[in-house]
Amino acid sequence: MSTLLTRLDELRDKAFGELKNLTSATDLEAFRVKYLGRKGAITGVLRELGSIEPEQRANVGAEANKLKNELTSAFEKHQESLKSKSIPDSKVDLTLPGRSRFLGKKHPISRTIDDIIDIFYSLGFSVAEGPDVETEWYNFDALNTPDDHPARDLADTFYIKDNILLRTHTSPVQIRTMENNKPPVRIIAPGRCYRKDTPDASHAPNFFQTEGLYVDKDVTFSDLKGVINIFARRLFGPEIKVRFRPHFFPFTEPSAEYDFSCLICKGDGCRACKHTGWVEISGAGMVDPAVFEAVGYDPEKYTGYAFGMGVDRITMLRYGIADIRYLYDNDLRVLRGI
Ligand code: PHE
């Protein structure tokens, strides 16, 4: 048998074997060039016809053409079937809606802290910071909080070891600031605080406060009320009402707790305000002279006010969140909606 006929047989096996596995347009084109092109394998055989016995030429030529025709039609069929399976013309359909990408955003607590900072900046306050892990001196003693105060109890506070604890409020930043600065002092201090509270709708073992402190000559309680009122209106709008209730804190005298009117029910009473129409924000008062003495300020010369703010409460009020745990569960279904 002519060697060219053998070659044609081998070519047939190889080509049909390869054709089945072609999937891309590039592979198809490479296949076409390799076997069916002007310089392809079949043409190669035809070119060699001149070198064989004349009586075999017709036969080999016919076989080569037959293979070419069969392969061409098989090739076209395969090409068609690939096309029908893929995207038309494998072009992008620009009319399809785009895939939306999830964009992260700031946590509602961070947004509230940013807004609190903006408002107090505009009133001349700067931002101070202190560590989350505190000593008893900064968290209690320097704040005139005696040994038998319930906040110092192991049951209420996370102690790391003797004398070292997770701060229960941001008030230690008052002490740190006054130790390092002479009056006048006008700061706010946002940050995380920790208490051994069992979680429920309004308690979490970690939460956020923002402390405020203003010390100068002739600072009065009405300055304190004024600044809290301005803050409330800037953050919540002119409708908001603020009330102060007498209270006790070891580090302020006189002391008060203050509430904002509930914006969820507009003061009528709802679950979020425990049907009182008011939401407790935190405590405030005039800095106790004992605190000034602890940091070396002259209480005869200076007066000052201090306040705390429950950032979580304010956030819940702003966004209408009924349960503080929503802020800490990291459930994206909730956080995305806020
Ligand atoms: N530190 C107090 C608390 O956490 C709040 C407070 C701050 C009270 C400043 C008076 C002055 O409850």
Side-chain angles (χ1 to χ4, degrees):
M1 213 217 281
S2 144
T3 48
L4 282 183
L5 280 181
T6 320
R7 252 173 69 194
L8 281 175
D9 271 344
E10 287 167 359
L11 264 178
R12 172 187 296 274
D13 287 347
K14 227 176 119 206
F16 278 97
E18 274 178 39
L19 184 62
K20 290 199 302 273
N21 301 322
L22 303 182
T23 49
S24 73
T26 345
D27 288 348
L28 279 172
E29 178 57 11
F31 179 91
R32 193 192 62 76
V33 171
K34 182 171 162 192
Y35 292 104
L36 303 166
R38 279 195 292 123
K39 291 180 182 162
I42 299 178
T43 319
V45 172
L46 290 170
R47 285 220 177 96
E48 286 176 46
L49 282 183
S51 67
I52 61 171
E53 304 295 334
E55 53 275 30
Q56 288 182 0
R57 277 180 206 155
N59 186 24
V60 174
E63 280 303 317
N65 278 323
K66 196 172 143 219
L67 175 58
K68 191 168 185 174
N69 289 337
E70 284 171 13
L71 198 55
T72 305
S73 71
F75 174 82
E76 281 166 4
K77 242 169 113 184
H78 188 70
Q79 197 172 32
E80 276 312 305
S81 80
L82 276 186
K83 260 193 198 162
S84 64
K85 269 186 230 152
S86 61
I87 307 162
D89 292 324
S90 58
K91 277 186 203 137
V92 179
D93 182 352
L94 296 174
T95 65
L96 285 173
R99 268 188 222 160
S100 64
R101 227 177 235 238
F102 173 61
L103 276 185
K105 57 181 177 185
K106 279 197 177 166
H107 191 281
I109 290 196
S110 304
R111 278 183 261 159
T112 300
I113 290 178
D114 285 351
D115 293 343
I116 293 175
I117 291 175
D118 276 353
I119 295 170
F120 281 101
Y121 257 151
S122 77
L123 298 170
F125 288 73
S126 53
V127 174
E129 277 182 319
D132 288 20
V133 181
E134 265 297 6
T135 63
E136 282 192 296
W137 163 257
Y138 286 111
N139 199 78
F140 297 127
D141 298 294
L143 288 161
N144 196 34
T145 305
D147 265 343
D148 60 356
H149 194 279
R152 297 182 76 136
D153 201 286
L154 274 174
D156 288 317
T157 298
F158 294 105
Y159 283 86
I160 307 281
K161 54 183 185 188
D162 251 10
N163 195 32
I164 308 285
L165 49 101
L166 296 181
R167 65 178 177 191
T168 58
H169 51 178
T170 44
S171 301
V173 186
Q174 289 187 35
I175 305 299
R176 290 179 175 275
T177 306
M178 288 190 280
E179 273 183 353
N180 294 316
N181 298 279
K182 289 195 166 61
V185 159
R186 189 152 48 182
I187 56 111
I188 54 165
R192 209 186 269 270
C193 309
Y194 309 82
R195 286 180 202 174
K196 273 196 176 172
D197 278 329
T198 308
D200 64 24
S202 51
H203 294 89
N206 81 83
F207 55 96
F208 284 81
Q209 288 189 336
T210 297
E211 194 79 7
L213 175 70
Y214 178 32
V215 181
D216 204 346
K217 290 176 182 145
D218 304 323
V219 179
T220 68
F221 204 100
S222 42
D223 295 324
L224 167 64
K225 289 185 93 169
V227 90
I228 296 288
N229 267 288
I230 290 171
F231 167 76
R233 285 191 203 131
R234 291 256 186 101
L235 194 66
F236 288 109
E239 306 295 294
I240 191 96
K241 292 195 196 71
V242 179
R243 77 171 181 190
F244 281 72
R245 291 175 284 108
H247 199 75
F248 173 79
F249 292 102
F251 38 92
T252 44
E253 182 61 34
S255 303
E257 275 190 334
Y258 62 97
D259 308 328
F260 289 174
S261 54
C262 180
L263 292 155
I264 297 169
C265 62
K266 302 263 179 293
D268 292 344
C270 69
R271 217 156 57 89
C273 61
K274 301 196 184 96
H275 301 281
T276 62
W278 297 93
V279 176
E280 185 188 318
I281 300 299
S282 186
M286 301 307 290
V287 179
D288 195 292
V291 173
F292 282 149
E293 270 155 24
V295 298
Y297 280 13
D298 181 355
E300 295 300 325
K301 213 162 145 196
Y302 296 106
T303 51
Y305 63 70
F307 58 83
M309 308 198 153
V311 175
D312 305 71
R313 296 259 170 86
I314 294 175
T315 305
M316 289 163 76
L317 213 52
R318 291 178 92 187
Y319 298 107
I321 304 167
D323 192 315
I324 191 171
R325 288 168 293 192
Y326 287 154
L327 295 172
Y328 295 105
D329 284 348
N330 283 338
D331 185 337
L332 286 182
R333 288 170 305 178
V334 174
L335 293 178
R336 269 182 200 158
I338 299 173

PDB file of all heavy atoms in Angstrom, residues 39 78 125 167 233 239 254 264 272 279:
ATOM      1  N   LYS A  39      -1.681  25.370   3.558  1.00  0.00           N
ATOM      2  CA  LYS A  39      -0.410  24.699   3.865  1.00  0.00           C
ATOM      3  C   LYS A  39      -0.642  23.551   4.832  1.00  0.00           C
ATOM      4  O   LYS A  39       0.257  23.103   5.522  1.00  0.00           O
ATOM      5  CB  LYS A  39       0.563  25.702   4.479  1.00  0.00           C
ATOM      6  CG  LYS A  39       1.024  26.733   3.469  1.00  0.00           C
ATOM      7  CD  LYS A  39       1.982  27.718   4.104  1.00  0.00           C
ATOM      8  CE  LYS A  39       2.395  28.759   3.084  1.00  0.00           C
ATOM      9  NZ  LYS A  39       2.964  29.948   3.743  1.00  0.00           N
ATOM     10  N   HIS A  78     -19.251  20.770  13.730  1.00  0.00           N
ATOM     11  CA  HIS A  78     -18.773  20.981  15.097  1.00  0.00           C
ATOM     12  C   HIS A  78     -18.791  22.471  15.455  1.00  0.00           C
ATOM     13  O   HIS A  78     -19.236  22.860  16.543  1.00  0.00           O
ATOM     14  CB  HIS A  78     -17.346  20.423  15.225  1.00  0.00           C
ATOM     15  CG  HIS A  78     -16.832  20.413  16.635  1.00  0.00           C
ATOM     16  ND1 HIS A  78     -17.329  19.558  17.594  1.00  0.00           N
ATOM     17  CD2 HIS A  78     -15.877  21.153  17.266  1.00  0.00           C
ATOM     18  CE1 HIS A  78     -16.698  19.776  18.747  1.00  0.00           C
ATOM     19  NE2 HIS A  78     -15.819  20.736  18.559  1.00  0.00           N
ATOM     20  N   PHE A 125     -14.440  72.114  70.947  1.00  0.00           N
ATOM     21  CA  PHE A 125     -13.875  70.969  71.678  1.00  0.00           C
ATOM     22  C   PHE A 125     -12.876  70.224  70.784  1.00  0.00           C
ATOM     23  O   PHE A 125     -13.029  70.194  69.572  1.00  0.00           O
ATOM     24  CB  PHE A 125     -14.986  69.978  72.062  1.00  0.00           C
ATOM     25  CG  PHE A 125     -15.891  70.473  73.174  1.00  0.00           C
ATOM     26  CD1 PHE A 125     -16.820  71.478  72.936  1.00  0.00           C
ATOM     27  CD2 PHE A 125     -15.805  69.920  74.449  1.00  0.00           C
ATOM     28  CE1 PHE A 125     -17.657  71.924  73.947  1.00  0.00           C
ATOM     29  CE2 PHE A 125     -16.637  70.366  75.462  1.00  0.00           C
ATOM     30  CZ  PHE A 125     -17.565  71.369  75.222  1.00  0.00           C
ATOM     31  N   ARG A 167     -12.071  49.635  81.385  1.00  0.00           N
ATOM     32  CA  ARG A 167     -12.737  50.834  81.903  1.00  0.00           C
ATOM     33  C   ARG A 167     -14.252  50.693  81.844  1.00  0.00           C
ATOM     34  O   ARG A 167     -14.789  50.151  80.870  1.00  0.00           O
ATOM     35  CB  ARG A 167     -12.269  52.079  81.154  1.00  0.00           C
ATOM     36  CG  ARG A 167     -12.658  52.108  79.697  1.00  0.00           C
ATOM     37  CD  ARG A 167     -12.192  53.393  79.045  1.00  0.00           C
ATOM     38  NE  ARG A 167     -12.495  53.399  77.622  1.00  0.00           N
ATOM     39  CZ  ARG A 167     -12.018  54.282  76.770  1.00  0.00           C
ATOM     40  NH1 ARG A 167     -11.226  55.253  77.182  1.00  0.00           N
ATOM     41  NH2 ARG A 167     -12.340  54.226  75.499  1.00  0.00           N
ATOM     42  N   ARG A 233     -30.071  69.421  69.479  1.00  0.00           N
ATOM     43  CA  ARG A 233     -30.780  70.003  68.322  1.00  0.00           C
ATOM     44  C   ARG A 233     -30.000  69.827  67.033  1.00  0.00           C
ATOM     45  O   ARG A 233     -30.588  69.567  65.980  1.00  0.00           O
ATOM     46  CB  ARG A 233     -31.050  71.483  68.560  1.00  0.00           C
ATOM     47  CG  ARG A 233     -32.174  71.647  69.541  1.00  0.00           C
ATOM     48  CD  ARG A 233     -32.679  73.066  69.632  1.00  0.00           C
ATOM     49  NE  ARG A 233     -33.311  73.207  70.929  1.00  0.00           N
ATOM     50  CZ  ARG A 233     -33.083  74.181  71.783  1.00  0.00           C
ATOM     51  NH1 ARG A 233     -32.271  75.167  71.463  1.00  0.00           N
ATOM     52  NH2 ARG A 233     -33.696  74.205  72.944  1.00  0.00           N
ATOM     53  N   GLU A 239     -36.985  69.753  67.026  1.00  0.00           N
ATOM     54  CA  GLU A 239     -38.107  69.179  67.782  1.00  0.00           C
ATOM     55  C   GLU A 239     -37.674  68.572  69.124  1.00  0.00           C
ATOM     56  O   GLU A 239     -38.483  68.408  70.025  1.00  0.00           O
ATOM     57  CB  GLU A 239     -38.756  68.037  66.972  1.00  0.00           C
ATOM     58  CG  GLU A 239     -39.187  68.413  65.578  1.00  0.00           C
ATOM     59  CD  GLU A 239     -40.303  69.434  65.622  1.00  0.00           C
ATOM     60  OE1 GLU A 239     -41.382  69.062  66.102  1.00  0.00           O
ATOM     61  OE2 GLU A 239     -40.076  70.599  65.217  1.00  0.00           O
ATOM     62  N   PRO A 254     -23.048  69.756  91.674  1.00  0.00           N
ATOM     63  CA  PRO A 254     -24.169  68.823  91.629  1.00  0.00           C
ATOM     64  C   PRO A 254     -24.116  67.929  90.384  1.00  0.00           C
ATOM     65  O   PRO A 254     -23.438  68.246  89.412  1.00  0.00           O
ATOM     66  CB  PRO A 254     -25.381  69.755  91.577  1.00  0.00           C
ATOM     67  CG  PRO A 254     -24.873  70.999  90.936  1.00  0.00           C
ATOM     68  CD  PRO A 254     -23.443  71.126  91.397  1.00  0.00           C
ATOM     69  N   ILE A 264     -38.838  58.182  68.459  1.00  0.00           N
ATOM     70  CA  ILE A 264     -39.520  57.092  67.786  1.00  0.00           C
ATOM     71  C   ILE A 264     -41.028  57.274  67.933  1.00  0.00           C
ATOM     72  O   ILE A 264     -41.782  57.149  66.977  1.00  0.00           O
ATOM     73  CB  ILE A 264     -39.015  55.735  68.320  1.00  0.00           C
ATOM     74  CG1 ILE A 264     -37.518  55.598  67.995  1.00  0.00           C
ATOM     75  CG2 ILE A 264     -39.824  54.577  67.752  1.00  0.00           C
ATOM     76  CD1 ILE A 264     -36.813  54.446  68.661  1.00  0.00           C
ATOM     77  N   ALA A 272     -39.413  51.467  72.924  1.00  0.00           N
ATOM     78  CA  ALA A 272     -38.026  51.937  72.948  1.00  0.00           C
ATOM     79  C   ALA A 272     -37.758  52.873  74.137  1.00  0.00           C
ATOM     80  O   ALA A 272     -36.659  52.913  74.660  1.00  0.00           O
ATOM     81  CB  ALA A 272     -37.683  52.632  71.639  1.00  0.00           C
ATOM     82  N   VAL A 279     -35.734  59.099  76.617  1.00  0.00           N
ATOM     83  CA  VAL A 279     -34.659  58.117  76.549  1.00  0.00           C
ATOM     84  C   VAL A 279     -33.461  58.662  77.325  1.00  0.00           C
ATOM     85  O   VAL A 279     -32.980  59.773  77.060  1.00  0.00           O
ATOM     86  CB  VAL A 279     -34.250  57.846  75.081  1.00  0.00           C
ATOM     87  CG1 VAL A 279     -33.062  56.896  75.029  1.00  0.00           C
ATOM     88  CG2 VAL A 279     -35.425  57.263  74.322  1.00  0.00           C
TER      89      VAL A 279
END
